[in-house]
Each structure stands twice: as C-alpha cells, then as structure tokens.
Amino acid sequence: MSDAPDNTAPAPGAVSIWQLKPWWCQPWSILLTGVLMITGSWLWLGRWWLTVPLAAGVLLWWWLFLVLMPRQLSSLSGPDDIG
C-alpha cells in the first residue's frame, strides 16, 4: 500500500467553495430544504408513489451539489486559483 497524502482536504489558506456561496446555497440549507420537501410530501400527500420519486430527485440534487460540484471545482483549480 502507498502512503500517499490525501488530496481531499483543502490546502492551508485555501478558500472553500462554500465561502463563495450565499446562505441559501450552503450545505445546511440544501440538506434542510431536501428533508423538508420529502417530509412535506409524505405528510401532505401521504402517497409513497409520489414521495419516492421526489426523494430520488432530492438525493440526485444532493449528490450533484454537495458531492460532484465541490469535487469538480477542487480538481479544476488549485488553492491559489480561488479567491
């Protein structure tokens, strides 16, 4: 096995993508909105066949904006390129 350094942690002094986003585009607001949408759908409609596709869409949305987008941005730019 190799003891290569883990490149997922931001470099010291690097600006996080989340520091550049407004409050409504922060991870906590994205997660909270998704949870409220899924819960609200279930409580309001009470139909699993409507809530499950909505939940799948929310999970896809989370994956795109909370996993893929930060990973792609960090791979495209070095720590000196942001800010």
Side-chain angles (χ1 to χ4, degrees):
M1 298 285 173
S2 174
D3 289 334
D6 184 17
N7 291 333
T8 58
V15 176
S16 168
I17 181 63
W18 303 115
Q19 293 174 335
L20 304 174
K21 298 290 184 180
W23 68 267
W24 48 267
C25 197
Q26 295 294 318
W28 64 268
S29 66
I30 294 171
L31 290 170
L32 181 63
T33 302
V35 168
L36 289 175
M37 287 175 62
I38 295 168
T39 304
S41 169
W42 179 250
L43 293 176
W44 184 40
L45 301 173
R47 304 275 192 263
W48 68 267
W49 52 272
L50 291 173
T51 303
V52 168
L54 176 73
V58 167
L59 289 173
L60 177 64
W61 176 39
W62 285 348
W63 182 66
L64 286 172
F65 287 101
L66 298 176
V67 177
L68 278 185
M69 188 264 308
R71 185 182 303 161
Q72 285 295 322
L73 186 66
S74 68
S75 71
L76 291 176
S77 62
D80 296 332
D81 294 339
I82 300 176

